[in-house]
Structures are given as structure tokens and as C-alpha cells.
Amino acid sequence: MFIELSQPKYTTFGKINGQNMPIAPSIDKFVSISIRSSNNLLNPITKVFLDKLLLDFNKAATTGRIVKQDTSLYPILPIEAGSNVYVNYENYINSLFDEFIKQYKTTKDIEQLITFENINYEFTQFLIRISLPQTFSAYILSRYNSIQSTGLSVKLFDERQITKDIRTDANYNFYVNTVVNNGFMFDSNNKGTIILNLGHEAVIRELNNRGITSLSGFYSNFYLPSSTIDIFFLSALITKKYNNFCASNPFAHPRKQCVNTSFTQDIIARNIIDFKRLYSKYDLLYWLKIYLYFRGVETYKNWTQTDFDYYVRNLTNIYNVNVDNSYEIGLQYVMNLIGKYPYPQSIEPVKFYYEPRV
């Protein structure tokens, strides 16, 4: 079975659950696979059928069912699989923060970046301005996140690096039949990329043997809603980058203009944020408001400033009233406002604005 990963129905394969909400792998449920001396993570169901596929190829080679010479389809071994979406997102945010500092140095006075609130606000505006994903959920559904991160896909070879038509290879028919019979689909644009077919009878049988009887059960067992970690992930990454910036630039030297047009220059220490105290000084309501802003922008909400301010007031009231589970209820309020994928697309700039305040 051949599919086009570029088609809308497959671009989110393994990235949204049955409720059309973005998801991320539950790392503790995944299994490790060694590729080129590095450890990668696969969904355990993918690993079961990949092992069967590789075993069938090795048996065919030993019995002479396939040729070993003058072929691009032997030996068959994974060359890419199971990239860690958590590491990838951290690298992505790190690169954006570095770019933010680089641009700020050329367009503004870096000495004015002093406090955490100050830098967090400027970085927030930078992310909005460049129109790139900010939250983990948005990153998961973006073009920056490969299907390899889902643990459901394996690249066995890169068809683009093979000079002749792969369909003329002596082992091609065996390759196609073995891949399909072992519960995989092909990317029609690169036949070396195989994707676990969750509708294949053998895959369904394997899931049933594990007590998983539905697609929603599959996703809830091996994945988690990314919204549950969005705030903690992003706030931790921003804080880490802020602390690194402070360590490299411990003092700010902002200039102040005096009445006679001369300048004075202060020396102000940039204070590193203790992770243990992060959510005591900048509580979860502080981050929930930023999250509402980010997700509203990322999902192209046609809110007015009046709408957004109303939602922020509601969120604040909900958070303050529900003392025992204020964060969970506040997050659910935000998720209800954002809705489910697919989000409406728009070329119009957002009409609302938010400045984070403690």
C-alpha cells in the first residue's frame, strides 16, 4: 500500500489522537533501537513488525529467494527511525532563542535586556513576529516535525540516492510484498520509508493480544496529549536559555539620558532564576496567560482585543476560584477556547496583543 505523506490526511499521522488533539510519544512506553551507533525510539508495535520484516529478508537471502549482488535492496537495515521529538523541540527553541539574541543585538540595545520578565516579553514578541511555532503542540503539527518522531515510521533506504529506477531492482517485488505483509505502508515519494499500517489485520491482531481494541486505545496507551506538558516544557526551556544568557552576560550596562543630553551608565546584575522557585515567582497562571496568547496566535483565532482580554479575565477568575486544581481547570478552559485540529487558516494578522506581567 502506497501513501503520500504530503497529503493532509497523512501529514498528522501519529501526531493527533482520535479526538484530533496533538499528541507526543510516552517515552517510557517506547523501545530503543540502535541505528548508526545512536539510540532511537520506536513504538513497540512498530518494532515487532520491523523485526519480522528484517527476519524475512535475512531468511530470503540465505535460501536464495533474493539476490545479494547488483541490488539496492540488500541488505535491508534501518538508516533512520524514531527521532526524539522532545530533544528536537528543545533544539528548535534553543536555536530560536539564539537567533532572537543575535537579532536583538543588531536592532536594539542588548544592555536593556535585564530581567526575566523583560527578556521573556521580548522573546515572546519575537516568536509572534516570525510566525513560527512556539508551543510544543504547534511544533508537533508543523513541517519541522518529521513523521520519524512518531515512532511509527522507519527509513530503510533513501530512494533519491539510488541512481536507477528502484522498480527495476531484482528484489523489488519481494521487498514490496514483504513490507506490506508485515504490516507496513510505503511513502510513494520515497519507497524506502515505511509506515506502520494501523489498519492491517496483523497489526490489529497484535494490538488485540495486548488488550488494545481501538485506535483511541492505541494512542492513549502509547502517547500523551501534548497540551498537558506544553507550559512546563516551554517555560523550562525559556528559563534555561535565560539562565545561560545571564551566565554569559552577568551584568547589564544600560545607559540613561540626563537632562543636559549627557548619559549615565548603570551596572545591573542579571539574576539567574532558580528552577525550584520558578513557579513560585512566576506561577502557573502567569504561564497559562502566555499559553492562551501563543495558542490563540498559532491557531489563527479571529479574536478582537476585547475578546482576548475577556478570556484572560475569565481564566484568572477560574484559576483563583478553583484552588485545589486551578491549573488543570485553567488549562481545560484554554483548550476549550482553542478547539480541535484542523484549525482554521488565515493570512490576516492577529488582532489581539498580550504583555506578560507577574
Side-chain angles (χ1 to χ4, degrees):
M1 178 182 178
F2 292 92
I3 63 171
E4 284 192 36
L5 288 176
S6 58
Q7 289 184 352
K9 65 181 293 186
Y10 292 115
T11 54
T12 58
F13 183 74
K15 301 176 184 179
I16 59 173
N17 60 18
Q19 290 74 47
N20 281 13
M21 304 297 283
I23 54 175
S26 296
I27 296 298
D28 60 327
K29 300 284 186 69
F30 275 41
V31 295
S32 179
I33 176 174
S34 180
I35 299 176
R36 296 173 175 174
S37 301
S38 66
N39 286 326
N40 299 61
L41 296 170
L42 275 186
N43 186 294
I45 308 301
T46 308
K47 181 66 163 55
V48 166
F49 287 94
L50 176 63
D51 288 345
K52 291 180 179 180
L53 186 156
L54 298 178
L55 181 61
D56 283 352
F57 253 89
N58 289 333
K59 286 181 177 178
T62 58
T63 58
R65 293 181 62 195
I66 59 174
V67 300
K68 298 181 182 180
Q69 305 296 327
D70 299 321
T71 175
S72 299
L73 295 175
Y74 184 83
I76 289 290
L77 291 170
I79 62 171
E80 186 179 323
S83 63
N84 191 318
V85 68
Y86 298 94
V87 173
N88 296 344
Y89 176 66
E90 180 173 359
N91 292 337
Y92 167 81
I93 290 295
N94 287 346
S95 66
L96 288 181
F97 191 91
D98 293 342
E99 181 61 27
F100 154 68
I101 294 296
K102 178 182 176 182
Q103 290 190 21
Y104 203 94
K105 285 180 177 179
T106 60
T107 60
K108 296 183 181 180
D109 183 4
I110 196 69
E111 301 301 334
Q112 299 299 324
L113 289 180
I114 303 172
T115 65
F116 179 78
E117 297 95 321
N118 176 217
I119 291 182
N120 194 22
Y121 167 72
E122 293 291 347
F123 184 49
T124 297
Q125 295 311 304
F126 169 78
L127 291 175
I128 297 296
R129 191 164 57 249
I130 61 177
S131 300
L132 292 178
Q134 298 105 41
T135 65
F136 188 40
S137 289
Y139 174 81
I140 285 171
L141 297 178
S142 75
R143 60 187 174 88
Y144 300 99
N145 182 33
S146 162
I147 191 174
Q148 299 293 347
S149 72
T150 66
L152 300 175
S153 178
V154 179
K155 183 181 285 187
L156 299 174
F157 61 86
D158 192 339
E159 187 176 357
R160 293 166 296 185
Q161 295 180 358
I162 296 176
T163 55
K164 67 177 183 179
D165 187 341
I166 195 68
R167 293 171 297 184
T168 64
D169 193 290
N171 291 338
Y172 179 72
N173 288 337
F174 180 84
Y175 170 74
V176 170
N177 291 332
T178 303
V179 167
V180 172
N181 291 339
N182 280 290
F184 288 96
M185 306 179 287
F186 293 93
D187 176 6
S188 60
N189 294 317
N190 192 340
K191 299 176 187 65
T193 297
I194 61 174
I195 306 98
L196 187 67
N197 182 358
L198 296 175
H200 192 282
E201 61 179 17
V203 176
I204 293 174
R205 189 162 53 248
E206 176 68 24
L207 290 172
N208 288 343
N209 290 340
R210 294 171 180 244
I212 301 171
T213 58
S214 66
L215 194 59
S216 60
F218 169 78
Y219 284 126
S220 64
N221 193 77
F222 296 113
Y223 300 82
L224 55 87
S226 54
S227 61
T228 60
I229 58 173
D230 272 342
I231 289 176
F232 298 104
F233 205 170
L234 183 59
S235 60
L237 292 180
I238 292 176
T239 303
K240 182 179 178 181
K241 291 301 291 184
Y242 165 79
N243 285 345
N244 290 343
F245 174 75
C246 290
S248 301
N249 306 271
F251 296 100
H253 304 83
R255 296 202 308 168
K256 293 182 180 179
Q257 186 171 358
C258 300
V259 291
N260 60 355
T261 70
S262 63
F263 290 89
T264 61
Q265 192 169 45
D266 296 331
I267 300 177
I268 302 176
R270 293 184 172 104
N271 297 317
I272 287 176
I273 298 292
D274 184 348
F275 273 96
K276 294 180 181 178
R277 298 172 56 195
L278 174 62
Y279 298 113
S280 59
K281 185 170 183 179
Y282 305 97
D283 66 9
L284 289 173
L285 178 59
Y286 171 85
W287 293 105
L288 276 168
K289 292 175 182 177
I290 295 176
Y291 185 57
L292 172 61
Y293 180 44
F294 276 163
R295 292 301 283 146
V297 172
E298 291 172 335
T299 56
Y300 309 97
K301 293 302 179 187
N302 190 29
W303 297 336
T304 64
Q305 188 65 50
T306 301
D307 292 333
F308 181 76
D309 292 343
Y310 171 77
Y311 298 143
V312 170
R313 288 195 302 273
N314 264 5
L315 175 59
T316 303
N317 292 335
I318 289 170
Y319 186 89
N320 290 332
V321 168
N322 299 278
V323 179
D324 294 334
N325 51 355
S326 53
Y327 170 73
E328 290 77 9
I329 295 178
L331 178 61
Q332 189 57 57
Y333 175 73
V334 173
M335 298 311 300
N336 290 342
L337 288 174
I338 298 306
K340 300 178 180 181
Y341 182 88
Y343 313 112
Q345 298 295 300
S346 173
I347 60 174
E348 295 292 325
V350 294
K351 302 172 184 175
F352 54 94
Y353 167 84
Y354 178 64
E355 181 175 348
R357 295 183 184 278
V358 179

